[in-house]
Amino acid sequence: MASNSARARSLYRSLLRELPQRPLSAPSLVQQRIRTIIATQPLEDARLQMDQAEQYIQYARAQRMYTTLLERYNPGMQMDEEERVRLTARRVGMDLPDDFVKGRKS
């Protein structure tokens, strides 16, 4: 029983780490729902729900890591077209004319 409650606390903390940061004084609805589920779960369902929570934590970590790596290795993903063209030209040793950079493609 003690190990189940320690495991539940550990899973709860891990779940909170994977959710977007919020102040403790104003928990999100998801945080409140997770806390309610963990606090009121029947003992016979505890093992199954804890296993599912571990799988969710692993999935959320993998998604966070995927997003981090995608942003790191694809820096132009969030750029607009003009900035991407300017940086591509600079990569091959050219500078775009000032007219092109200011948005006047004459």
Side-chain angles (χ1 to χ4, degrees):
M1 177 69 185
S3 68
N4 271 349
S5 82
R7 184 174 176 214
R9 275 194 309 272
S10 173
L11 289 172
Y12 176 68
R13 289 182 187 129
S14 296
L15 281 168
L16 290 183
R17 272 188 230 111
E18 297 306 321
L19 293 174
Q21 295 295 320
R22 302 226 3 171
L24 294 175
S25 61
S28 69
L29 294 174
V30 174
Q31 290 173 343
Q32 292 173 359
R33 180 72 176 140
I34 291 170
R35 186 178 185 112
T36 304
I37 289 171
I38 289 176
T40 61
Q41 66 186 354
L43 291 177
E44 54 273 358
D45 293 339
R47 182 173 172 83
L48 177 63
Q49 287 183 349
M50 286 186 194
D51 290 341
Q52 289 175 344
E54 283 181 358
Q55 288 178 359
Y56 176 76
I57 291 167
Q58 289 174 353
Y59 173 76
R61 280 187 189 140
Q63 284 299 110
R64 184 171 41 89
M65 181 60 70
Y66 172 76
T67 303
T68 302
L69 292 173
L70 194 64
E71 290 171 354
R72 181 182 299 163
Y73 292 109
N74 296 307
M77 196 170 69
Q78 301 294 330
M79 290 183 207
D80 61 345
E81 186 65 27
E82 287 182 19
E83 184 69 11
R84 190 174 303 133
V85 169
R86 186 185 71 77
L87 290 176
T88 302
R90 292 210 39 156
R91 186 177 301 136
V92 296
M94 298 165 50
D95 286 328
L96 292 178
D98 290 335
D99 292 343
F100 187 84
V101 174
K102 292 179 184 174
R104 294 179 291 169
K105 301 174 187 173
S106 52

